[in-house]
Amino acid sequence: MKRLPIPDDVTGDEIDKDVRQELQSLPKGLAEEVSRNLVMVARLIDEDPEGAYAYSRIALRLASRVAAVREAAGFAAYANQKFSEALAEFRAARRMTGSVELWPVMADCERGLGRPEKALEMAGAPEVQKLDKASQVEMRLVAAGARRDMDQLDAAIVTLQSPELASNSVQPWSARLRYAYADALLAAGREGEAREWFAKAVESDKDGSTDASDRLAEMDGVEFVDAFAENEDDEDGERAQVTVSEEAGTRVPADEDDADVDDDADDVELADVATDDVDDVDDDIDGGDLQDDVDDADDDLDDEDGDDGTGDAPVRPQS
């Protein structure tokens, strides 16, 4: 089996202790090799997803019966938009562990495969109740994305309305949730509200995980100028003022007055619902039974559209 080069400073000890414990079922030398490849997956997945994918395939060939390896392979495939492959790996990892923590990303794979109705079905499944708060918020984001895939903008907006969205406290999910809400409002033509929520996303986005600041500046008509590019333009402009003397073959200023110019010048359950009047629903943003919202909204869709809105009809966050 062909191996990929791994820097000497990668020992394999960098991985999570739970993963190291899983790898203890392997011979020591093999466990070390697998762990080093998993470290490379983690290092590269954001900046070089193709490289991360290559390392994940090696780890998978070495230890396909280890759940953590299947999960890493799934995320590497997901980062490369290989949604069918990612979903297969996530399902394998879930069968091995019995955990539901991969449920939101599995649902997003369904979106990527062009099956938003399947993602919505997963959003209303009992597994969601077993997720922690962060994963429930992630599931909400996926459900809202599925609604938008199906051109149900009002339903997407209401799906994102939740106590987590209304809370003034800043949590790890706050920036992405507020950003998604602002983006949905903007898509629905509610620019004033969208601007307000983009601003809230900026306030909570301490790590720059979204481009909320750029979106807000764009709405305000602010245009950013690359200083380096501007300097290059200035230099090009100065060069344009110089002509070549055909007779002497020397460079002379095109204008005598320019001859002395100085060279140094100067970003729970899910409410997969729709609504006839989103403004009325906004008043209920701070609470309520989300599953009831699902049922009520689906009834609304039946009344309004004449069907259930879940016929055949595609993350990726970074989300």
Side-chain angles (χ1 to χ4, degrees), residues 239-246 248-256 259:
R239 283 194 291 270
Q241 295 298 314
V242 178
T243 60
V244 177
S245 171
E246 294 181 354
T250 59
R251 287 157 50 101
V252 298
D255 187 342
E256 290 183 1

Side-chain angles (χ1 to χ4, degrees), residues 21-271:
Q21 187 172 357
E22 281 192 62
L23 295 175
Q24 287 180 359
S25 61
L26 303 174
K28 183 176 180 181
L30 180 58
E32 180 180 338
E33 185 174 4
V34 172
S35 63
R36 294 182 74 205
N37 278 280
L38 292 181
V39 171
M40 293 304 297
V41 174
R43 280 192 176 186
L44 298 175
I45 197 163
D46 291 328
E47 302 299 329
D48 180 13
E50 290 185 1
Y53 179 76
Y55 281 101
S56 76
R57 300 309 295 176
I58 293 175
L60 190 60
R61 287 197 293 270
L62 293 171
S64 62
R65 295 185 179 182
V66 177
V69 173
R70 302 301 290 264
E71 183 176 328
F75 277 110
Y78 179 84
N80 285 275
Q81 298 186 4
K82 298 177 183 290
F83 298 116
S84 180
E85 184 177 325
L87 185 57
E89 297 299 342
F90 291 143
R91 284 173 174 168
R94 182 168 180 262
R95 284 195 300 269
M96 293 176 180
T97 64
S99 171
V100 297
E101 65 180 10
L102 294 172
W103 198 251
V105 71
M106 289 169 63
D108 206 37
C109 285
E110 295 288 0
R111 284 187 60 213
L113 291 169
R115 301 193 289 253
E117 69 285 349
K118 178 61 177 177
L120 288 174
E121 180 182 329
M122 293 179 69
E127 283 83 354
V128 176
Q129 298 309 303
K130 302 176 184 178
L131 297 172
D132 60 21
K133 179 62 67 177
S135 296
Q136 286 187 355
V137 172
E138 193 66 32
M139 191 73 247
R140 187 180 293 278
L141 289 167
V142 173
R147 287 295 188 187
R148 292 191 63 172
D149 294 341
M150 299 167 70
D151 295 324
Q152 297 175 3
L153 281 176
D154 286 347
I157 290 170
V158 179
T159 297
L160 293 168
Q161 294 172 351
S162 63
E164 293 80 21
L165 179 67
S167 175
N168 290 324
S169 66
V170 176
Q171 302 294 336
W173 58 77
S174 297
R176 292 180 60 239
L177 183 58
R178 293 172 180 179
Y179 181 94
Y181 189 58
D183 193 49
L185 288 168
L186 186 60
R190 296 161 62 174
E191 295 186 8
E193 294 169 89
R195 190 200 178 286
E196 175 186 350
W197 282 96
F198 274 128
K200 290 182 178 181
V202 171
E203 292 174 2
S204 56
D205 193 1
K206 306 302 181 184
D207 300 326
S209 59
T210 72
D211 64 347
S213 59
D214 293 340
R215 298 290 299 277
L216 185 61
E218 182 181 346
M219 293 188 72
D220 289 341
V222 176
E223 195 171 318
F224 293 99
V225 177
D226 189 328
F228 181 75
E230 190 177 50
N231 288 339
E232 285 186 337
D233 291 341
D234 291 343
E235 291 175 3
D236 290 342
E238 290 178 6
R239 283 194 291 270
Q241 295 298 314
V242 178
T243 60
V244 177
S245 171
E246 294 181 354
E247 293 182 0
T250 59
R251 287 157 50 101
V252 298
D255 187 342
E256 290 183 1
D257 291 337
D258 295 335
D260 295 327
V261 174
D262 187 350
D263 291 338
D264 295 329
D266 2 52
D267 181 357
V268 174
E269 295 172 18
L270 297 182

